[in-house]
Amino acid sequence: GSQALAQAAGARVVQVDNRGYGAALIGGIEAAKGRFVIMADADDSYDLTDLDGFVDRLRRGFKLVVGNRFKGGILPGAMPLLNRYLGNPLLSFIGRTLFSSPVGDFHCGMRGFDREAILELRLRSSGMEFASEMVVKASLAHLSITEVPTTLRPDGRHRTPHLRPWRDGWRHLRFMLLRSPHWLFVYPGLVLAGLGLVGAATLIVTPIRVPNIFTLDINALLYFSIAGIVGIQITFFGLFAIAFARKIKLRIAYGFPEKLLRLASLEGAIAVGTFLVVVGIGGALYAILKWGHSSFGPLVPSDMMRITIPSVTTLAIGTQIVFGSFLLGFIAID
């Protein structure tokens, strides 16, 4: 009933046809006429008479002022325990880490901002992830952001809230990860590739034995090698995403991988990939020659696999690097 109450009090109410938390706010921001906009949930959980902190900071030049419920206080029954102690703190920590944001409460529903500055961010999310989108894009655009301690009270509705913690939490996390390809792809890919290749290199020389517990041998060598190949492929996914984002001028979080792309040359990467392909082919030829020395008869599998698995792995990684580098070059052309 917030619409009827607002109209009765003399407010201008804007009808938004698209459903969703973000869609309603986008419609309101676009229809607003003031220099500053203050948004808040219409469920009586925020004290709308306590706006001085927001207005003061906006007048001091901040482009986005976000409430912080963890600093201002959360009254009993105002927030589910799962959201209070896991969901909101974890997602806010991830957001601060990925985007170097100063915001400690990514999902506070009470905010103030410079309307023109926020419109320039071209916010698009129609659902609850709109809250993360605003903070993430403002951080990536280097807008001046600050916080105001805000008290959260139990909402005054007589129906069950529309919030779905796991679904909404995933949508927030998904949005942040897709705006941070180096954390989504590059770093996990490099870690997986590093572990795989180090493990494979060790097992090429000798099995790894832990007395009375286990022995890692040929089977483990195969798994480590596959991990190295998959890790390199995931890393290239991240580099493709970063290169494409740079091409279309999409705001994403940048870091070491983006700097690496600027320094690396197409010719250098192709040379490295070609060298690995040659090494892999050389290993395969050596395996055939060794087989020929036994008149192409039966061989000891453990000895032969220590040659063929590294050869195939090196060949696969070299091929990925060569063609992945060409694709990066293709993305970069005008």
Side-chain angles (χ1 to χ4, degrees):
S2 56
Q3 298 95 327
L5 291 171
Q7 286 179 324
R12 180 169 61 96
V13 176
V14 178
Q15 179 65 35
V16 178
D17 294 329
N18 296 332
R19 294 172 60 85
Y21 174 82
L25 286 166
I26 291 171
I29 295 169
E30 291 175 346
K33 298 179 179 179
R35 176 186 174 189
F36 301 135
V37 174
I38 293 181
M39 55 176 265
D41 298 341
D43 60 4
D44 203 31
S45 57
Y46 297 104
D47 185 358
L48 301 183
T49 66
D50 187 19
L51 303 180
D52 292 346
F54 292 89
V55 176
D56 173 66
R57 284 162 177 76
L58 289 172
R59 287 175 174 166
R60 283 160 51 186
F62 288 99
K63 300 301 183 183
L64 174 61
V65 185
V66 183
N68 190 318
R69 298 164 294 181
F70 298 102
K71 291 182 178 179
I74 301 173
L75 299 185
M79 183 184 295
L81 295 179
L82 182 65
N83 293 20
R84 181 172 182 175
Y85 295 106
L86 178 62
N88 279 316
L90 178 60
L91 289 173
S92 296
F93 171 77
I94 292 173
R96 290 195 303 273
T97 302
L98 299 188
F99 305 102
S100 301
S101 175
V103 176
D105 185 2
F106 259 58
H107 307 112
C108 182
M110 192 168 182
R111 305 173 180 196
F113 46 84
D114 183 291
R115 177 176 174 272
E116 291 299 326
I118 296 300
L119 284 175
E120 289 178 2
L121 299 180
R122 301 178 63 187
L123 304 178
R124 293 291 181 266
S125 298
S126 61
M128 297 300 297
E129 66 272 23
F130 176 86
S132 292
E133 182 186 19
M134 178 183 289
V135 177
V136 166
K137 286 189 174 181
S139 299
L140 293 176
H142 303 294
L143 299 185
S144 53
I145 305 172
T146 190
E147 291 186 310
V148 171
T150 303
T151 301
L152 182 69
R153 306 180 299 182
D155 71 60
R157 292 173 292 188
H158 300 293
R159 60 167 176 79
T160 303
H162 292 305
L163 290 175
R164 297 180 182 178
W166 292 107
R167 184 201 65 176
D168 293 333
W170 160 244
R171 292 175 70 170
H172 285 287
L173 179 60
R174 179 185 65 183
F175 177 86
M176 290 190 287
L177 289 176
L178 291 176
R179 287 281 173 166
S180 182
H182 58 297
W183 280 102
L184 177 60
F185 296 111
V186 179
Y187 295 150
L190 288 175
V191 170
L192 182 60
L195 291 175
L197 296 177
V198 169
T202 303
L203 290 171
I204 290 172
V205 179
T206 181
I208 299 175
R209 293 185 174 88
V210 178
N212 301 322
I213 299 178
F214 63 80
T215 297
L216 299 179
D217 203 347
I218 296 303
N219 291 333
L221 173 59
L222 178 60
Y223 281 107
F224 275 120
S225 299
I226 292 298
I229 295 172
V230 172
I232 294 295
Q233 185 63 71
I234 293 173
T235 302
F236 266 107
F237 286 156
L239 296 178
F240 297 152
I242 293 169
F244 183 70
R246 189 170 62 185
K247 178 75 173 182
I248 65 173
K249 296 180 173 57
L250 176 68
R251 287 196 182 106
I252 60 171
Y254 288 110
F256 166 74
E258 197 271 341
K259 296 177 182 177
L260 184 64
L261 273 177
R262 292 179 179 176
L263 295 175
S265 67
L266 174 63
E267 292 75 14
I270 292 174
V272 171
T274 302
F275 172 76
L276 293 176
V277 170
V278 171
V279 170
I281 293 174
L285 294 175
Y286 174 70
I288 294 173
L289 289 175
K290 188 172 182 179
W291 186 25
H293 288 159
S294 63
S295 300
F296 299 102
L299 294 171
V300 179
S302 60
D303 293 340
M304 202 63 175
M305 296 291 277
R306 281 195 166 81
I307 301 173
T308 56
I309 292 177
S311 299
V312 170
T313 301
T314 306
L315 180 60
I317 291 176
T319 303
Q320 286 180 319
I321 292 176
V322 170
F323 288 97
S325 300
F326 272 115
L327 181 53
L328 288 172
F330 177 79
I331 294 173
I333 62 176
D334 294 324

